[in-house]
Amino acid sequence: MMNKTILAVTQAIVERSAERRQAYLARIEQQAKQGPNRSQLACGNLAHTVATCSSAEKTRILDFTTVNVGIVTAFNDMLSAHQPYETYPAKIKQVLTAKGHSAQVAGGVPAMCDGVTQGQDGMDISLYSRDLIAQATAVGLSHNTFDATLLLGICDKIAPGQIMGAMSFGHLPTMFIPSGPMSTGITNDEKVNIRQQYVAGNIDKAALQEMECNAYHSVGTCTFYGTANTNQLVFEAMGLMLPGSAFVAVNSPLREALTQLGAETIATTAANGQDYRPIAKVLDEKSIVNGLVALLASGGSTNHTIHMIAIARAAGFIITWDDFTELANAVPQLAKMYPNGPADINEFERAGGVPMLMSRLAERGLIHMDALPVYGTMHDYLTRPKLEDGQLVFTPVEESLNPEIIAAKGADFNPQGGVKVFDGNLGRGVMKTSAVAKENQVLSAPAIVFESQHEVADAYQARQLNQDCIVVVRHNGPAANGMPELHKLMPILGNVMKAGYKTALVTDGRLSGASGKVPSVIHMTPEAQKDGPLAYIQTGDMISINAETGELKAIDVDFSTRQPFHPDLSDIHMGSGRELFTIFRKVISSAETGATILD
C-alpha cells in the first residue's frame, strides 16, 4: 500500500501544475506529430548532417527507419568525473552500428567543478552555468536530426542542466549514461581533521595539499555524498538511467557492459523502435516524487532543493519547499554517507547501492512502483547488475550488506528525512539536518553579520568568533552574486564548535552536499539583495534556530524602524567572466523557485 502522504503530495503537485503541464505536453505532442526529425529536413540540411560520415554511416542516417542518437557530452580532460567520457561516443557508436543504427555528438556543454572554484571568482557563475548548460543542450539538439538522446554528464550543475535542456525535446527518449566513482582515497574523517588543523594554523599548506591530492586522486566522481553523487542517486531513482548503474566503478568491465546496454536500450525506445518512451512521459509527477523521496531518505545535497524545482518546471510541474517538508515528515533517513556518516559512495555501493535503498523505500510504500522508467519497470530498479560468465544480468536485492550504511529492513537512522525547511521573520530557508547532531539543532545566539565568506575568515583569524554566535552571511543569493557555495566556512565554524561555542550559519548563499555538522540555514529567501529580512539584520541581534519546529526568527527586532543595507557589489560583478552574466543577475528567480532564468 502506498503511503498516504506520498499520494497526497503527488496529487497536490498534479493539481497545482495542471495548466503548466498541459501546455508543456501540448507543445511536445506537436513536436512528436512531425515524425522522425530527419524526415523534415531539406536535402541541403541533410547533406550538412552527414558531411563528415563514412558511406555506411550516411546510408544509415539517411534511412529514416533507423535510429540516430544525439549524444550531449560534458567531457573535458581536467575534471575527474568527466574525463572518462572521452571514449564514450566511439563506444556508443560501435554498439549502435552493430544494431543497424547510428549516433552523433550533438554538442558539448560546459563542465565546471565547484571543487576547483570554491572560494574563487569563478564560483560566482557556477549556479548560472546550470541554465547555460540547459541552453547548450537545447542548441545541440536543435539540429533536429535525432530520434533519441544520451546524456553524458554527472556533476553539480551539469546533469540537472542537461535534463532541463532535454525537456525542451521531450518527444525524444533520453537517458543518462554514468561514468562511475573514483576509488576510495583517504577517509572523510581524515579530510575534515586536516582541513580544520590547517584553518587553525596547526599544519602548513604542503600538508594540506598532500591530503587533498590523496583524497582526489584519479578519474571518476568524487567519493563523498555531495551534489554530484546526489544527482546520480536521485536520477537513478527517477528511472532516468539503467538500474544499479549510478555507482559502478569507473572503467570497470561492468561499467562497460552497462554503457553498451544503455546504448542498445535507447534505440528500442525511439519512436521508430519497439518501445517508445519519450522523456516527457518518463519524467512525470511520479518520477519527480520518487526522486524527492530518494533525496530525503539518503540525506542528499541541499542543492537539490533548488535543482529539483527547476527540473520540474522544465517538465511542466510546480513543486515547492513545502512539498519537501511534507515528504520529509513521512520519509525516514535510510542511508548514511559522508557528511551524514563516515562511509563514502563506494561503501554505499557495496552495501547494496541505489537498488537496496529503493527496495527499503518500496517495502514502506514510499515510492511509486508504477512510474515509467527508461528501462523495464520500476521493479527492475530493485535489482543490481553483475557479470556472469561475461554476460550482464540483474539480480534482486535482498538484505542490506552493511546495515550501518543502508538500514536493515524495518530500521532507520532517523524517522524523518534529512532536509528541513525553516520559516519565520527572517524568511524561508533549508537545513541539511541529517548531518547535524540533535543537541546542535536548537540554539539562540547573537548575530555577527558579514557580506562574504572571506570576511568571516578574516574575523576568525582575528579571534572575533570566539563566542556563541549566529554567523549571518548575506548578499550571496542568486541575484546578488550567483549564490556561490560557501565551503570556506565549514572548517572555520567547525573549529568554533570544537572550541566549545554554540554557533550556526544563516545565509542566502549555498553549501550543497558538503554541509556537515554545523547547523546551517541556507538558501534564505527573499534574499538580501531583494530587500529580504537579512538586509535588515544587524550584529548583536538575537537569532533563534529551532530544527525541531522549523522556526527561524530574530528576537525582539522591529524591522520597520530600519533601512535595508546593500553594499556596493559592482567589483564582484566583473572579471573571470562574471560580466557576461549580468542578464542572469537581473532576471534569475529565487532559490525557492529554482534559481532559474528559464520560464
Side-chain angles (χ1 to χ4, degrees):
M1 294 289 292
M2 279 289 295
N3 179 280
K4 292 182 180 180
T5 299
I6 305 300
L7 291 173
V9 170
T10 305
Q11 184 60 31
I13 292 171
V14 169
E15 291 175 0
R16 84 168 71 98
S17 308
E19 183 177 351
R20 184 183 182 91
R21 176 67 171 175
Q22 184 178 13
Y24 170 78
L25 290 176
R27 185 171 77 247
I28 296 305
E29 184 178 357
Q30 184 61 37
Q31 290 177 236
K33 283 181 179 179
Q34 296 176 5
N37 291 324
R38 298 190 309 289
S39 67
Q40 307 301 312
L41 299 182
C43 294
N45 302 141
L46 289 168
H48 281 284
T49 297
V50 299
T52 66
C53 298
S54 67
S55 176
E57 289 172 327
K58 286 182 180 180
T59 299
R60 285 191 296 274
I61 294 174
L62 295 176
D63 178 356
F64 302 144
T65 67
T66 67
V67 175
N68 188 35
V69 176
I71 301 170
V72 178
T73 178
F75 161 73
N76 66 50
D77 64 5
M78 183 183 76
L79 304 184
S80 62
H82 296 96
Q83 187 276 343
Y85 283 137
E86 181 176 14
T87 60
Y88 274 47
K91 295 175 183 176
I92 291 166
K93 290 179 182 182
Q94 183 178 16
V95 170
L96 290 170
T97 296
K99 297 292 184 179
H101 302 299
S102 57
Q104 295 175 293
V105 175
V109 300
M112 68 178 293
C113 176
D114 292 353
V116 177
T117 59
Q118 286 170 21
Q120 309 301 316
D121 292 350
M123 179 55 81
D124 293 352
I125 62 175
S126 173
L127 181 59
Y128 297 152
S129 76
R130 186 200 63 197
D131 286 15
L132 180 65
I133 288 163
Q135 294 170 322
T137 298
V139 169
L141 295 176
S142 69
H143 290 106
N144 284 329
T145 61
F146 309 112
D147 304 289
T149 308
L150 288 177
L151 302 175
L152 310 184
I154 289 176
C155 289
D156 296 21
K157 267 61 69 183
I158 300 158
Q162 285 179 314
I163 199 66
M164 289 166 65
M167 295 313 298
S168 290
F169 295 81
H171 62 297
L172 300 181
T174 301
M175 177 188 293
F176 277 102
I177 302 288
S179 72
M182 69 173 66
S183 61
T184 301
I186 63 174
T187 68
N188 291 304
D189 285 343
E190 185 177 352
K191 279 192 288 188
V192 173
N193 181 48
I194 294 295
R195 288 169 181 168
Q196 288 185 335
Q197 286 190 57
Y198 176 73
V199 168
N202 297 330
I203 61 173
D204 62 15
K205 190 172 183 178
L208 177 66
Q209 186 66 71
E210 181 181 7
M211 180 280 292
E212 296 288 4
C213 287
N214 287 334
Y216 307 105
H217 59 90
S218 70
V219 298
T221 315
C222 303
T223 59
F224 72 96
Y225 191 46
T227 306
N229 284 324
T230 302
N231 282 339
Q232 301 303 287
L233 186 149
V234 168
F235 290 170
E236 182 176 323
M238 294 173 71
L240 298 176
M241 62 178 71
L242 292 178
S245 65
F247 302 124
V248 171
V250 66
N251 295 333
S252 64
L254 181 55
R255 171 60 64 200
E256 294 283 325
L258 287 166
T259 299
Q260 177 176 334
L261 178 59
E264 293 172 348
T265 299
I266 203 67
T268 67
T269 60
N272 47 351
Q274 297 90 40
D275 185 19
Y276 182 43
R277 299 192 186 193
I279 188 63
K281 187 175 180 181
V282 170
L283 208 164
D284 65 0
E285 68 277 2
K286 294 178 181 179
S287 170
I288 289 169
V289 170
N290 284 353
L292 295 177
V293 168
L295 168 70
L296 293 165
S298 62
S301 169
T302 50
N303 269 332
H304 285 74
T305 63
I306 299 174
H307 295 329
M308 287 297 289
I309 291 172
I311 290 168
R313 289 183 68 83
F317 290 104
I318 300 170
I319 62 174
T320 70
W321 282 354
D322 292 324
D323 294 327
F324 284 83
T325 296
E326 291 296 317
L327 291 172
N329 289 333
V331 176
Q333 184 186 346
L334 299 177
K336 291 188 72 173
M337 292 171 279
Y338 180 80
N340 310 322
D344 70 6
I345 204 67
N346 292 312
E347 293 173 282
F348 172 76
E349 175 67 10
R350 287 192 290 271
V354 183
M356 182 58 67
L357 177 64
M358 294 290 283
S359 178
R360 292 288 88 96
L361 292 169
E363 291 164 358
R364 298 167 184 253
L366 294 172
I367 54 175
H368 292 283
M369 292 301 295
D370 58 344
L372 178 70
V374 295
Y375 173 88
T377 71
M378 285 306 298
H379 292 280
D380 292 302
Y381 286 74
L382 310 184
T383 67
R384 298 187 72 190
K386 65 177 182 178
L387 291 175
E388 288 185 354
D389 299 324
Q391 299 297 311
L392 179 61
V393 297
F394 290 85
T395 59
V397 295
E398 296 178 358
E399 191 51 79
S400 173
L401 300 178
N402 189 336
E404 298 300 313
I405 298 173
I406 301 177
K409 188 173 183 178
D412 60 58
F413 300 116
N414 192 311
Q416 293 186 334
V419 175
K420 187 80 173 183
V421 177
F422 284 72
D423 208 341
N425 64 358
L426 288 178
R428 285 164 62 85
V430 298
M431 178 189 288
K432 185 172 181 176
T433 55
S434 55
V436 180
K438 285 289 186 183
E439 61 268 23
N440 294 325
Q441 293 189 10
V442 178
L443 71 157
S444 297
I448 305 181
V449 181
F450 302 94
E451 309 301 328
S452 75
Q453 60 181 331
H454 310 297
E455 291 182 2
V456 179
D458 292 341
Y460 174 76
Q461 293 299 328
R463 305 183 67 82
Q464 295 171 2
L465 301 183
N466 292 342
Q467 57 180 297
D468 291 348
C469 61
I470 306 292
V471 172
V472 176
V473 182
R474 62 189 180 187
H475 293 101
N476 280 256
N481 62 346
M483 205 180 188
E485 291 183 349
L486 307 176
H487 290 170
K488 195 172 186 177
L489 299 177
M490 289 300 96
I492 292 172
L493 298 183
N495 278 348
V496 173
M497 290 179 66
K498 191 175 180 180
Y501 300 108
K502 293 182 179 180
T503 193
L505 172 68
V506 175
T507 180
D508 47 16
R510 292 185 297 132
L511 279 174
S512 83
S515 55
K517 64 183 180 182
V518 178
S520 304
V521 186
I522 60 179
H523 304 176
M524 290 298 297
T525 184
E527 63 176 288
Q529 183 71 4
K530 294 189 175 181
D531 286 346
L534 291 190
Y536 295 82
I537 284 291
Q538 298 174 1
T539 294
D541 290 341
M542 288 296 295
I543 293 178
S544 172
I545 297 173
N546 190 323
E548 295 178 358
T549 63
E551 188 175 25
L552 171 68
K553 62 182 180 181
I555 302 172
D556 296 328
V557 175
D558 183 1
F559 292 132
S560 67
T561 64
R562 297 180 180 179
Q563 293 297 313
F565 174 76
H566 295 297
D568 182 0
L569 300 178
S570 57
D571 285 350
I572 64 170
H573 292 166
M574 303 294 290
S576 298
R578 291 176 291 186
E579 63 276 7
L580 301 175
F581 290 86
T582 300
I583 188 64
F584 281 67
R585 287 188 290 271
K586 289 181 178 179
V587 303
I588 196 165
S589 69
S590 70
E592 189 168 8
T593 54
T596 181
I597 65 167
L598 306 182
D599 181 21

